[in-house]
Amino acid sequence: MNVSRVQLPGLEKEQRLHEIRREAEQRGAVTAEGIRPSGSPFPMASPETGYYGIPLLKQPSWTWEIPLYFFVGGAAGASAVVGAIANYTGADRRLVRDARWIAAAGSIISPALLVSDLGRPSRFLNMLRVFKPQSPMSVGVWTLLGFSGGSVAAAFAASMRERYGESLPIRIIENAGEAASLLFGLPFSNYTGVLIGVTAIPAWNENAGELPVHFGMSGLAASVGLLELMGHRRSRALQMLGLGAAVFECWEGWHLESRNNSALEPLKRGASGALTRTGGILSGPLPLALRVASLMSGRHATKMRKWAAMSAVAGSLLTRIAWIRAGHVSAQDWREPLRDRDALTHGQR
């Protein structure tokens, strides 16, 4: 190494570094532009210019299949849980059978939607090459695999038992499949909330702690609605589950509206805000009112529960579409949350 070519920092550079440190200590942030060596490859990134002129956040590349995948997976996972608990508690066998078939249908449709979004089946298979516990996407794919196998096995074995009678192999397959669908059904119904919550998109990240429960309850509402539309409108247990899901969705909507945060603006303003609020009304207040009215009216109770079921299913689907749309808008308006955060930091200092 040629010592004569080493450039030691001069007095002017040391003074500049001292000023930057002092500014950081006083204000908690450095607003001055740093030094960019001549001919260096380092870009000048900022909230105004982005990174090489490219926005710091990219919009989700997901296509229309993903919100539908979120909806189908939520309803299927919740149905598997409902069916298993109904079977263990000795409920109506028709209810158990229909819940299993909803779960089995969802376990087939879900990977088809995911592969369609990925473009090639090989991309889906490549995701199964490793298991990363720290990755919600990796955990979700393996959960989908376990759920699909269990729910299809349970529904198939039950169909064989009804047609050919009881036998030990069929009973083992049915029980094992039901146990697997119950084990994987609950995380499968809400892991998509974790998946989008861990991203850097402000509208999603600000709700990371609530999205899994929100998606799980929305999936439960869709599952109950589908079962009621299949004829189970006299089940008191389904009525209570539907009421609970509707009450939670009402609280979620109020909690979202009451928070004053610019990162949440895509969920309140514009087309994405209209979708979010419409989905919230169809998932919460409307089915809640209809279910309460059905408890008070004996003559039209069944009809009101049917409308409540239809509203819950539509609201669950629209909720998934709205959250994905809000993510696109939030990625475009990523500068606003940064400015608010900087202003808050400076104000505290």
Side-chain angles (χ1 to χ4, degrees):
M1 181 176 180
N2 190 352
V3 180
S4 62
R5 298 187 61 182
V6 177
Q7 295 183 358
L8 298 177
L11 180 61
E12 181 178 353
K13 293 182 180 180
E14 288 292 340
Q15 184 177 0
R16 179 58 182 149
L17 289 173
H18 177 69
E19 293 175 356
I20 291 175
R21 295 191 188 100
R22 185 171 56 184
E23 181 182 2
E25 293 174 356
Q26 294 176 350
R27 303 183 58 182
V30 177
T31 58
E33 184 175 314
I35 299 175
R36 182 182 183 185
S38 177
S40 67
F42 306 114
M44 300 301 293
S46 70
E48 288 73 24
T49 62
Y51 184 83
Y52 276 126
I54 301 174
L56 296 180
L57 286 182
K58 291 183 178 180
Q59 295 187 45
S61 59
W62 293 331
T63 53
W64 62 269
E65 294 95 339
I66 293 303
L68 190 57
Y69 166 71
F70 285 7
F71 166 75
V72 171
S79 295
V81 176
V82 170
I85 294 176
N87 184 39
Y88 294 150
T89 56
D92 182 11
R93 297 304 304 176
R94 287 183 57 251
L95 175 61
V96 176
R97 181 198 63 192
D98 291 343
R100 285 177 174 177
W101 279 115
I102 292 175
S107 69
I108 295 174
I109 297 173
S110 292
L113 291 170
L114 191 56
V115 169
S116 177
D117 175 73
L118 293 172
R120 293 197 305 269
S122 59
R123 293 177 177 174
F124 177 79
L125 296 176
N126 286 336
M127 297 173 70
L128 300 174
R129 296 175 60 186
V130 295
F131 175 72
K132 297 180 179 180
Q134 71 275 20
S135 170
M137 183 174 294
S138 178
V139 173
V141 170
W142 280 98
T143 300
L144 168 59
L145 189 66
F147 173 75
S148 298
S151 58
V152 170
F156 175 77
S159 178
M160 292 295 100
R161 176 176 51 79
E162 292 177 359
R163 176 170 296 187
Y164 301 108
E166 290 281 355
S167 69
L168 181 60
I170 289 179
R171 190 182 305 116
I172 292 175
I173 295 174
E174 182 179 358
N175 292 339
E178 185 172 62
S181 64
L182 176 60
L183 176 64
F184 292 104
L186 184 59
F188 185 59
S189 68
N190 60 20
Y191 96 91
T192 51
V194 180
L195 179 64
I196 66 175
V198 299
T199 64
I201 294 179
W204 295 347
N205 187 261
E206 289 291 332
N207 295 278
E210 301 170 10
L211 277 169
V213 182
H214 176 34
F215 277 22
M217 296 304 291
S218 180
L220 176 61
S223 170
V224 170
L226 290 173
L227 288 170
E228 289 179 329
L229 291 175
M230 295 175 72
H232 303 282
R233 290 191 287 274
R234 296 187 182 277
S235 171
R236 182 174 178 82
L238 289 181
Q239 176 77 304
M240 293 300 103
L241 287 174
L243 278 170
V247 169
F248 179 86
E249 290 297 274
C250 288
W251 177 87
E252 179 66 26
W254 171 84
H255 182 63
L256 186 63
E257 293 289 342
S258 63
R259 294 158 64 192
N260 186 17
N261 189 332
S262 63
L264 305 180
E265 289 300 306
L267 299 167
K268 303 178 183 180
R269 303 286 184 268
S272 60
L275 284 173
T276 304
R277 285 173 170 164
T278 302
I281 292 172
L282 292 175
S283 299
L286 183 55
L288 177 61
L290 289 170
R291 291 188 183 280
V292 171
S294 70
L295 292 174
M296 301 170 59
S297 173
R299 183 177 180 181
H300 303 288
T302 303
K303 188 174 183 179
M304 289 183 179
R305 285 187 64 175
K306 178 181 179 181
W307 284 105
M310 294 173 63
S311 176
V313 172
S316 180
L317 175 59
L318 198 58
T319 294
R320 303 308 203 282
I321 298 174
W323 276 99
I324 297 299
R325 178 57 188 164
H328 283 271
V329 177
S330 183
Q332 294 174 347
D333 300 336
W334 53 272
R335 295 178 180 84
E336 293 302 324
L338 288 178
R339 293 195 183 100
D340 287 355
R341 194 170 302 170
D342 290 342
L344 179 62
T345 301
H346 294 160
Q348 291 175 346
R349 293 291 179 179

